[in-house]
Amino acid sequence: MGIFDFFSSDIAIDLGTANTLIISKGEVVVDEPSIIAIDKSKNKVLAIGAEAMQMHEKTHESIKTIRPLKDGVIADFQAAESMIRGMIKMIDKDKKRLFPASHRMIICIPSGITEVEKRAVRDSAEHAGAKEVFMIHEPIAAAVGIGIDIERPDGSMIVDIGGGTTEIAVIALSGIVCDQSIRVAGDAFNKDILDYMRRQHNLLIGERTAEKVKIQVGSALTELDEGPEDFDIRGRDLMTGIPKVIKLSYSEVAFAIDKSVSKIEEAVLKALEIAPPELSADIYDNGIYLTGGGALLRGLDKRLGMKTKLPIHIAEDPLKAVVRGTGKALKELERYRAVLMQ
């Protein structure tokens, strides 16, 4: 086993719009932003992940930063391939190899993905050195990751709010009974904050600052029992062109992202509406499980609870729920064979 293990390995990848996580040998070994920096003059990869994120929106004309995934699917094929290859190298960086290792990979994909988009994921993985590629739908991976037994005839509802897409699915008997996949998630919240700052405060801010605002003072409700303190935002004044600072409260952020949160609410209600009555009874008992980075938005569980009148559970460490489930499916391949696609 030892010698073969040196030439091949099993890895589980959560290829996300905002972050990519990789599990190898049962541990999360890579947790990096899904971004790559390229030197255009030499057509060479300069940085991947956190290092490339430091350069994002600060580059000159020779350097370009690319986010290869948009709305949960691959938008730039070449950049995605380079990014996957670079992140796989991060696992093996301590090992000196004569031959590149071949990998068996499981990659999670949105449930609303088309055949063409699925093909792009498979091809990118194969070009990055995968000898065998399996795919698993994100809501199923999330359910497995938070410890739900998906093989039972009980209905479970998962709401996975990522960077590019929100995946809502009712799962029973190792399959998705009904689902809703909308392209409104973390990136949409960032855009809302960006637009609000421009309209309301005449302040131009970048993507990274909007992301920081969402993490520091993001909220789905305008009134919280224990709200975060106001946050200083630095940007460019559109009237004078001079940099300035503005204090922003969580109530303003809640107002800014309200429309996007409403779209997620509508999709959850739509999924509940189309669920078979017997599964609706199970969901009434079990509640709804929130996973993904969006689950960390303050007050979102309360808001969804008020809208659906159902118990809402936030997964433990929601950011890693999907990749943990993908890793578990990789470990117990035969058990989860029914939910994997090749």
Side-chain angles (χ1 to χ4, degrees):
M1 179 65 193
I3 191 159
F4 288 118
D5 201 34
F6 192 73
F7 293 114
S8 72
S9 63
D10 287 359
I11 53 177
I13 304 179
D14 172 10
L15 197 60
T17 309
N19 293 292
T20 295
L21 291 95
I22 300 179
I23 280 188
S24 176
K25 298 184 175 68
E27 279 176 43
V28 177
V29 285
V30 174
D31 181 355
E32 298 276 339
S34 302
I35 189 164
I36 183 169
I38 287 170
D39 184 335
K40 290 202 290 189
S41 56
K42 297 173 187 165
N43 200 12
K44 181 182 156 212
V45 176
L46 289 177
I48 287 168
E51 210 182 317
M53 188 49 107
Q54 294 292 323
M55 302 179 186
H56 190 42
E57 296 185 321
K58 292 184 176 182
T59 57
H60 50 77
E61 57 183 31
S62 298
I63 297 173
K64 187 181 177 190
T65 54
I66 304 167
R67 291 181 63 190
L69 287 103
K70 194 177 185 310
D71 300 334
V73 293
I74 291 171
D76 186 321
F77 187 79
Q78 262 181 317
E81 191 187 306
S82 301
M83 187 183 80
I84 296 168
R85 188 178 280 130
M87 286 188 179
I88 289 167
K89 271 186 193 154
M90 289 178 189
I91 310 169
D92 297 335
K93 63 183 169 198
D94 303 329
K95 295 178 187 173
K96 295 275 180 282
R97 297 180 187 272
L98 289 170
F99 308 101
S102 58
H103 303 277
R104 182 163 61 168
M105 292 185 199
I106 292 194
I107 301 179
C108 45
I109 53 172
S111 53
I113 197 169
T114 64
E115 282 302 317
V116 174
E117 290 163 344
K118 214 183 278 183
R119 181 75 183 267
V121 172
R122 187 186 294 113
D123 288 355
S124 291
E126 282 171 357
H127 288 177
K131 60 168 191 245
E132 213 177 346
V133 183
F134 296 98
M135 283 174 276
I136 184 170
H137 286 307
E138 272 166 30
I140 289 187
V144 172
I146 58 176
I148 293 171
D149 186 354
I150 60 166
E151 293 160 308
R152 286 172 55 80
D154 293 343
S156 305
M157 187 169 193
I158 304 287
V159 178
D160 179 44
I161 307 163
T165 60
T166 295
E167 305 285 320
I168 302 149
V170 176
I171 295 164
L173 297 165
S174 296
I176 295 174
V177 181
C178 54
D179 70 330
Q180 290 288 305
S181 179
I182 58 164
R183 300 195 169 184
V184 175
D187 283 355
F189 298 155
N190 294 351
K191 192 175 180 300
D192 291 343
I193 292 165
L194 230 129
D195 292 346
Y196 176 82
M197 293 308 295
R198 194 167 55 223
R199 276 197 328 269
Q200 207 66 24
H201 297 287
N202 283 324
L203 189 76
L204 194 65
I205 61 169
E207 233 176 83
R208 287 171 61 188
T209 304
E211 173 84 14
K212 211 178 281 181
V213 170
K214 180 181 72 181
I215 293 165
Q216 298 293 339
V217 286
S219 169
L221 293 169
T222 49
E223 285 176 33
L224 294 170
D225 297 336
E226 285 179 35
E229 285 182 19
D230 292 358
F231 184 65
D232 286 345
I233 296 193
R234 292 163 180 80
R236 190 175 86 222
D237 190 322
L238 284 165
M239 307 291 276
T240 62
I242 298 167
K244 72 169 181 179
V245 178
I246 281 179
K247 268 201 179 315
L248 195 71
S249 69
Y250 75 84
S251 303
E252 276 192 271
V253 178
F255 177 73
I257 65 174
D258 182 63
K259 272 187 183 161
S260 294
V261 176
S262 296
K263 283 178 187 167
I264 292 172
E265 280 180 339
E266 281 164 28
V268 169
L269 291 173
K270 183 87 201 303
L272 286 167
E273 199 183 300
I274 58 177
E278 290 297 337
L279 291 179
S280 294
D282 292 340
I283 295 164
Y284 182 82
D285 292 336
N286 302 333
I288 296 170
Y289 296 90
L290 289 186
T291 66
L296 298 169
L297 189 68
R298 295 167 189 86
L300 182 64
D301 52 337
K302 207 170 171 186
R303 184 166 165 171
L304 281 174
M306 289 189 295
K307 193 81 174 173
T308 60
K309 313 279 189 294
L310 293 169
I312 309 287
H313 314 288
I314 297 176
E316 194 185 324
D317 197 0
L319 280 163
K320 294 197 174 104
V322 171
V323 78
R324 272 204 308 266
T326 313
K328 205 169 168 187
L330 183 63
K331 214 183 217 171
E332 301 175 52
L333 212 55
E334 287 313 310
R335 182 183 172 190
Y336 293 108
R337 183 73 71 175
V339 296
L340 298 176
M341 293 156 283
Q342 257 185 317

